[in-house]
Amino acid sequence: MKNIFVKAEIITIGNEILIGQIVDTNSAFLAEKLNELGVSVIQINSIPDKPDIIVSALNDASYRADIIIITGGLGPTNDDITKQTLASYFNSDLVMNMDVLEQIRLLLSSRGVTMNENNRLQALLPETCEVLKNRHGTAQGMLFNKSGKIFVALPGVPYEMKGIFTEELAPLLKARYKLPVIIHRTALTSGIAESHLAKLIEKWELSLPEHISLAYLPSPGIVRLRLSGTSIKEEMHLREEINNQMNRLEEIIQPWIYGYDNDTLEEITGKLLKAKSYTLSLAESCTGGKVSSMITSVPGCSDYFKGSCTAYSNQVKADVLGVNYDKIEHYGAVSREVATEMAYGARKVFRTDFAVSVTGIAGPTGGTDTKPVGTTWIAVASPQGIKAEKYQFGEHRERNIQKASITALFMLRNAIRLCS
Amino acid sequence: MKNIFVKAEIITIGNEILIGQIVDTNSAFLAEKLNELGVSVIQINSIPDKPDIIVSALNDASYRADIIIITGGLGPTNDDITKQTLASYFNSDLVMNMDVLEQIRLLLSSRGVTMNENNRLQALLPETCEVLKNRHGTAQGMLFNKSGKIFVALPGVPYEMKGIFTEELAPLLKARYKLPVIIHRTALTSGIAESHLAKLIEKWELSLPEHISLAYLPSPGIVRLRLSGTSIKEEMHLREEINNQMNRLEEIIQPWIYGYDNDTLEEITGKLLKAKSYTLSLAESCTGGKVSSMITSVPGCSDYFKGSCTAYSNQVKADVLGVNYDKIEHYGAVSREVATEMAYGARKVFRTDFAVSVTGIAGPTGGTDTKPVGTTWIAVASPQGIKAEKYQFGEHRERNIQKASITALFMLRNAIRLCS
C-alpha cells in the first residue's frame, strides 16, 4: 500500500491518431475507468510508433506519474514495434512464453483458425514482464516495474484493451495501491431538455457541498446527471451522502429518470418485459432497424423479443403490417393514424403483448412546411390500448434516428410500467 | 518560406478529457487538417488547466515542434485560465482590443444578446498576439511568435475551433511555410483476416520505397490498408507513385477489396443497387436489425431499400417469412436450409430483386459442440439464385453482430456485381 494520490499517464502509440484517421476513444475509456478507481489521470499523449520517441515519452511520463499506461503497437505486423522497444527499454530479452503460446493456440482453434508464424510471435514476450492475459485476442498485456513506477502496455484494439483492463489490470491496481474513495452515481433521464433540467435543479445544484460535484452528460435523447464525491475518509459515509443527494434530486425530476449508472433503456425495458412475461415486437420506418438493433444487443432478449418489421416503403407497411393504404394516402406516412396502425399491425402479425412503431422524416430531404425534417410519430400498442405521440427532433439524420429510438424505448418503458 | 518538413504538436487543455467525460475529437480534426496541409503532427497531449503544467507542456513541445496549437480554456468563466497563462508566458500585457470588442458586440447583437462583462473581457487580449478572428463565438484565436516557432491558441468549442482553423489559421500556415506533399490512399478489405493479408502482401510491403509507408487498420469484419506518401517533389508525381503501388496491391488482393478511402459498404451496396435499379430487403436473426440500420443510415436509401424483418423467434421466421417449420426442427435455426429459406421468403414477401438473410449464434449463450457461439449462416437471394455461406466468428456478442453485418453486406456487394 503505497500512496493515496496515485497519478497515471496514458500514452497512445500509432500514427492513426496523429493523422486524424481515428479518434482516441481508448484514452477516454482508460481515463474514465482510472478515475473511477481513484487514480488521477494527469496527462494523455499520442505519439508515433518510433522507438526513440516512445523511449523519450516513457522517460518524460515517469517523472510525472506513478502509473504509465501505453496502448497500441502490439499487433502481429511489421509496423508494430512497441514490444521490441519495451524489451530494450527494460533491458529484457524476448522469450517464448509457452503458457501464452498454448492460450493463443486454443483461442485461434476455437475460431477455427490455424496458428501461423505471425500468431506464434505474439507469444514472444519480454522476460521480465508480468503478462496481463488477453482472453479476446493474441496480443498480451505486459506490466513492468521500474524505480517504484509501473509501466503497462495494452493492445490498441478497443475491445481487447478493455477486456485486459477490466479483467486483469483494474484488480491488480486496486490490490497494489491504497486509493482515495471516489464515488460516482448517475441518474439517467429522457424526455426533457438539458436547459429545462438545469432550471429545475438549479437550487439543489447550488446547495451541493464542495466535495460533491455535478456533471451534465448529454447524448441524443438522453441527459445523464452524474454526482461525483471524493473523500479520504471511509467509503460508507461518502456513499450515504451521495445517496442522500440523489434522493433529493429524484424528488425534483422523478418523471424523467428511467435508470441509474450503466443502465440502458434496452436493458431496462427488457427486464420489465421479462419480469411480467410480456412479449415485444416493433414496426420501424425512419429508425430503420435501430430500435430492433438496440433491443437485440441485450443477451437473452429472445425471452421477450419476437421480431420487428422495418417498413421503409408504403408497400411493406401495407403488405406486412396491414396498414390501410387509404390512410397512408390521406394522412401521409408520418401521421398519428399510420403510426397507430403500424403498432397495431405489428402486435397482431408478431403476436406480442406490446408493439412499438416509429414513423418520421429523418432527413436530410423529405421535409415539408407542415412536416419539416425531424417530425416523428411514435406509438405504443399494449394490452391496455394504443398511445401515439408526436415529436419534433432536429435536422441531422443520424441524431434524429438516435433520438427517435431512445424516445420510443422511453415511451415503451412508461407503458409497461402502467400495465400491472 | 522557412522549412519543408514542418512539425506540429497539439495540446488540449481541460479536465473533461482527463476524466474520460469527453472524447478528444478536436485533436482528430486538427491532426487530419494539418496532415492534409503537409504539416506532420508529431504529438498530441491532453493536460489539466493548471498554469504550471501548461507552461511546462509549452516548453516541452517547443523543443519538438515548429507549430504548437493549444485548444481549450479560452471561455469566459473563472476556470478558463489559458489566456492569462499565455500572456505571462510571452511577457505580454493584456489590453482591450477595440476591433475585437466591436466584433463581439455585433455577433451578440445578431443573436439578440446584449453584451455583459464576461463577453467584454473576451476582447482583453495579449498585446503581442496576432488575433485569429472567431466569426462563430466570442473567444478569439491567438498567435504568438517566439524563437522561430509559432504558438496558436484556439477555443475548445469544436464549431468555433474548426471555423478559426479553416478561415484564419490554414491560409496563414500555407502562406508562411513551404510545405511537403502528403498523400494518403486507403484500400478497404473484407472477408480476410489481418494476419492472412499480411502474409499475402509481405513481399510487396517490403518493396515499398522509404517515403511510402503502409498501415493496417483493422475493425470488426474489415481491414483497411493505408498507403501514405511524403514528397518534396510536385504532387502529381507522388500521386502517380501511390496509385502505382495501389495497383500492385490490387493485383494481389483484388477479391477482398470493396472500396477506397472513406467508402462504406452500406453506401457502396446502395450505389450498386441504385445504378442497376435493383431493390433490396433483409431477413435478420442474430444481427437483430443491425444490417437494416446500416442500410438506412444512408440518405436516399428508400430508392432501393423496401424493408426488413428481424425474425428473432422461430414463429416469426415461419409466420412472416414463410420458413418451413419442419426444416427449423430438423436442421436448426442456424443452418444453410433456414438461411436459404429466410432469404427466399424476404425476397418474396418484400417483393425485391435481392434479399439477404443472417442467422447465427451471437452469444454469449446458445452455443453447442457442433454449433459454437459465433457460428453464422448468411444467404443472398438474387435474380440469379441463392448462395449461402457459413462463417465462424468469435465469442463476443457485439463483435459477432458487427462482423456478421459487415460480411452480409460484403456478400451482397459481390452478388450485385455478378448480376448484369
Side-chain angles (χ1 to χ4, degrees), chain A residues 23-269:
Chain A
V23 173
D24 186 10
T25 53
N26 277 354
S27 293
F29 170 87
L30 287 171
E32 188 186 352
K33 294 300 166 188
L34 288 166
N35 273 280
E36 281 174 13
L37 289 178
V39 175
S40 298
V41 176
I42 56 159
Q43 189 155 333
I44 298 172
N45 314 283
S46 291
I47 59 170
D49 42 14
K50 294 198 178 131
D52 55 328
I53 296 177
I54 296 175
V55 165
S56 141
L58 288 174
N59 283 335
D60 289 352
S62 66
Y63 286 116
R64 295 181 290 247
D66 307 297
I67 303 169
I68 295 96
I69 301 183
I70 307 156
T71 62
L74 296 181
T77 54
N78 288 332
D79 59 339
D80 292 308
I81 50 98
T82 302
K83 191 169 66 181
Q84 283 73 10
T85 307
L86 291 176
S88 123
Y89 186 73
F90 295 106
N91 296 314
S92 187
D93 289 330
L94 288 173
V95 294
M96 186 56 69
N97 185 316
M98 299 314 286
D99 286 352
V100 169
L101 187 66
E102 177 59 14
Q103 181 196 320
I104 293 174
R105 198 189 58 73
L106 285 172
L107 180 87
L108 293 172
S109 108
S110 78
R111 295 179 185 168
V113 176
T114 317
M115 182 144 70
N116 68 19
E117 182 58 18
N118 271 336
N119 303 137
R120 223 181 72 88
L121 287 176
Q122 295 283 55
L124 198 63
L125 295 166
E127 202 171 7
T128 58
C129 84
E130 237 172 279
V131 176
L132 304 176
K133 278 201 180 168
N134 184 352
R135 285 168 183 75
H136 315 279
T138 55
Q140 306 303 303
M142 295 174 274
L143 186 148
F144 301 87
N145 291 284
K146 188 179 178 183
S147 320
K149 316 263 172 172
I150 69 171
F151 297 74
V152 178
L154 301 174
V157 178
Y159 98 102
E160 297 182 20
M161 180 279 295
K162 290 177 187 177
I164 300 177
F165 182 88
T166 309
E167 293 154 16
E168 301 284 326
L169 187 56
L172 187 150
L173 295 178
K174 273 194 233 176
R176 196 162 301 190
Y177 296 97
K178 178 164 165 52
L179 297 166
V181 181
I182 297 187
I183 293 176
H184 301 286
R185 183 116 173 100
T186 307
L188 313 173
T189 73
S190 188
I192 181 167
E194 184 179 357
S195 55
H196 291 162
L197 268 182
K199 264 265 176 296
L200 285 177
I201 65 176
E202 196 175 16
K203 268 192 192 162
W204 165 79
E205 187 179 349
L206 287 170
S207 79
L208 287 173
E210 206 176 323
H211 65 291
I212 298 182
S213 63
L214 177 75
Y216 289 78
L217 309 169
S219 58
I222 293 172
V223 180
R224 294 184 296 148
L225 295 169
R226 191 187 62 212
L227 281 173
S228 303
T230 314
S231 168
I232 51 167
K233 286 179 286 185
E234 87 294 24
E235 186 176 328
M236 201 102 101
H237 181 69
L238 182 61
R239 191 171 296 280
E240 205 184 295
E241 278 187 289
I242 293 274
N243 285 344
N244 288 341
Q245 292 297 348
M246 191 50 92
N247 290 341
R248 289 182 57 203
L249 178 63
E250 281 166 7
E251 279 168 25
I252 314 171
I253 55 165
Q254 184 63 61
W256 300 283
I257 296 180
Y258 65 82
Y260 299 90
D261 302 323
N262 296 317
D263 289 345
T264 65
L265 268 168
E266 49 272 32
E267 281 167 359
I268 284 173
T269 48

Side-chain angles (χ1 to χ4, degrees), chain B residues 86-106:
Chain B
L86 290 176
S88 128
Y89 187 73
F90 295 107
N91 295 315
S92 185
D93 289 330
L94 288 173
V95 295
M96 184 58 66
N97 185 314
M98 300 314 285
D99 287 352
V100 169
L101 187 66
E102 177 59 12
Q103 180 197 320
I104 292 174
R105 200 191 56 73
L106 286 172

Side-chain angles (χ1 to χ4, degrees), chain A residues 16 18-19 21 23 35 44-46 159 217 226 288 292-293 296 306-308 310 312-313 319 351 397, chain B residues 18 21 23 35 42 44-46 217 224 226 288 292-293 296 306-308 310 312-313 319 351 397 399:
Chain A
E16 303 87 7
L18 296 175
I19 67 160
Q21 183 142 2
V23 173
N35 273 280
I44 298 172
N45 314 283
S46 291
Y159 98 102
L217 309 169
R226 191 187 62 212
S292 178
S293 179
T296 57
K306 295 293 165 201
S308 169
T310 303
Y312 226 62
S313 73
D319 285 0
R351 303 193 223 165
R397 183 179 181 85
Chain B
L18 295 175
Q21 187 161 319
V23 174
N35 272 280
I42 55 158
I44 299 173
N45 315 283
S46 290
L217 309 169
R224 294 181 295 150
R226 191 190 60 222
S292 178
S293 180
T296 58
K306 295 292 163 202
S308 169
T310 303
Y312 226 62
S313 72
D319 284 2
R351 302 191 225 166
R397 183 179 181 86
R399 287 175 63 89

Side-chain angles (χ1 to χ4, degrees), chain B residues 166-179:
Chain B
T166 309
E167 294 154 16
E168 301 283 325
L169 187 56
L172 188 149
L173 294 178
K174 274 195 234 175
R176 196 162 300 191
Y177 296 98
K178 178 164 164 54
L179 296 166

Side-chain angles (χ1 to χ4, degrees), chain B residues 270-338:
Chain B
K271 274 182 199 157
L272 287 171
L273 289 165
K274 204 168 172 176
K276 300 185 179 183
S277 299
Y278 283 137
T279 54
L280 173 67
S281 63
L282 306 168
E284 300 188 59
S285 183
C286 64
T287 46
K290 177 80 183 168
V291 184
S292 178
S293 180
M294 290 170 78
I295 292 279
T296 58
S297 71
V298 180
C301 64
S302 52
D303 288 350
Y304 47 85
F305 184 61
K306 295 292 163 202
S308 169
C309 176
T310 303
Y312 226 62
S313 72
N314 290 339
Q315 174 207 310
V316 171
K317 288 185 183 80
D319 284 2
V320 180
L321 296 171
V323 176
N324 189 321
Y325 248 123
D326 293 344
K327 287 202 179 168
I328 300 178
E329 295 240 319
H330 188 76
Y331 298 104
V334 179
S335 60
R336 174 190 292 275
E337 289 74 14
V338 170

